[in-house]
Amino acid sequence: GPLARTIRAKLTAALEPTHLQVLDESPRHGGPPGAETHFAVVVVSERFGGLPPLQRHRLVHAALSTELAGPLHALAIVARTPQQWESDPRVPPRPPCLGGSKHDKKQR
Amino acid sequence: MSGVVRAAWRLGAAVARVRAGRPLSQAASGGAEGGGAEGGGGGSGSREAVERLVREHPVVVFMKGSPEQPLCGFSNAVVQILRLHGVEDYRAHDVLQDPDLRQGIKNYSNWPTIPQVYLNGEFVGGCDILLQMHQNGDLVEELKKLGIRSALLDAEKDQDKK
């Protein structure tokens, strides 16, 4: 979808990843297919070298700040250096949805 | 380790529904008056108000729902990880109860999503980071610095005995 493309483009430009996965997880959170509200990204980039996880995630957020202020409701992040990705290309399982967005009382 | 966490997630959702009792959330009472106030100067989402909340306790969590009944899978993951380490005494604030707090906490940490975990008043990250810390042993270390002994240390000792 369009948001997925935007996310992909912005992360590519900001972090020059050697590996990038952008997954729309909205269906797993009660949205219809193509809802594009919940995403998971796997970003492998040299830029993360020497940075603790918090700073890595902040880099990803910075690249997507407009989206996060808007339609992007949740973002799961895996951020590794190419060396880390080579030694461990596994991604932790995503937690099951417990209806979070449905509990929003027209707050957005 | 991740298999245990995965099972815990599934268990957690069921257990949370069965368990009765008051949620730990205290922010709801604090933010109840004047709903719809701006976040500044004294509102529940102001910097001062948030600062007070994150310093209230060595372990403070901003989440959707409560530890007894998390309303979001990511928030539940945080609750389950803390539970695995035997951390049951902490402050949990349900941002769904307080829109000012929900925005205020994001401004405070400059972090766009919920849940948010604070250790000793310092923002540590969301559910992904907490999971990483859990898997690589950092969480046990951070808890130790707060004077909290992770239950997993005792679990490992039991396993060694077998």
Side-chain angles (χ1 to χ4, degrees):
Chain A
L3 185 51
R5 281 195 291 277
T6 303
I7 292 174
R8 179 165 279 278
K10 290 202 173 178
L11 289 178
T12 302
L15 297 168
E16 294 177 320
T18 56
H19 177 82
L20 175 63
Q21 263 182 291
V22 177
L23 302 163
D24 181 354
E25 303 233 297
S26 316
R28 297 192 61 243
H29 294 268
E36 298 208 304
T37 53
H38 295 62
F39 276 85
V41 296
V42 178
V43 189
V44 181
S45 166
E46 284 286 3
R47 301 274 181 92
F48 294 139
L51 295 181
L54 195 63
Q55 303 317 320
R56 298 183 184 194
H57 288 213
R58 286 199 186 281
L59 280 181
V60 175
H61 290 159
L64 300 174
S65 57
T66 310
E67 290 69 31
L68 284 162
L72 186 51
H73 189 77
L75 183 62
I77 300 172
V78 172
R80 293 193 196 145
T81 61
Q83 295 81 356
Q84 287 175 324
W85 182 249
E86 246 187 73
S87 54
D88 182 11
R90 290 168 309 163
V91 170
R94 308 313 313 163
C97 175
L98 294 178
S101 307
K102 298 209 198 97
H103 298 280
D104 288 346
K105 302 178 186 76
K106 295 182 186 177
Q107 278 174 15
R108 303 214 66 232
Chain B
M1 200 61 105
S2 63
V4 176
V5 178
R6 215 177 309 138
W9 284 328
R10 277 194 264 273
L11 260 181
V15 170
R17 274 185 268 277
V18 167
R19 199 175 293 187
R22 269 182 316 117
L24 285 170
S25 167
Q26 296 174 355
S29 41
E33 79 274 318
E38 319 87 8
S44 58
S46 70
R47 266 208 105 68
E48 298 76 25
V50 172
E51 185 88 29
R52 253 178 278 129
L53 292 180
V54 308
R55 296 198 184 290
E56 236 182 355
H57 194 277
V59 182
V60 181
V61 173
F62 297 83
M63 60 181 290
K64 294 183 177 181
S66 66
E68 281 77 15
Q69 195 175 12
L71 295 178
C72 156
F74 303 117
S75 289
N76 182 45
V78 167
V79 170
Q80 295 308 320
I81 291 170
L82 291 176
R83 189 164 288 154
L84 279 175
H85 287 263
V87 181
E88 299 273 10
D89 174 29
Y90 57 96
R91 293 290 173 271
H93 299 285
D94 181 358
V95 302
L96 295 179
Q97 301 289 332
D98 188 341
D100 289 337
L101 178 63
R102 184 174 179 172
Q103 189 53 51
I105 193 67
K106 293 178 185 178
N107 295 342
Y108 182 84
S109 56
N110 193 23
W111 188 265
T113 49
I114 304 292
Q116 297 192 9
V117 180
Y118 290 74
L119 297 181
N120 221 24
E122 206 183 298
F123 177 58
V124 154
C127 129
D128 290 336
I129 291 180
L130 199 72
L131 179 62
Q132 247 183 276
M133 291 173 67
H134 163 68
Q135 288 174 330
N136 67 17
D138 282 352
L139 186 53
V140 171
E141 285 311 308
E142 291 302 315
L143 290 173
K144 192 189 283 188
K145 288 185 203 166
L146 302 177
I148 301 173
R149 182 181 167 79
S150 168
L152 292 185
L153 291 171
D154 301 321
E156 279 167 16
K157 268 211 239 141
D158 290 339
Q159 286 192 343
D160 286 340
K161 281 189 197 144
K162 282 186 195 151

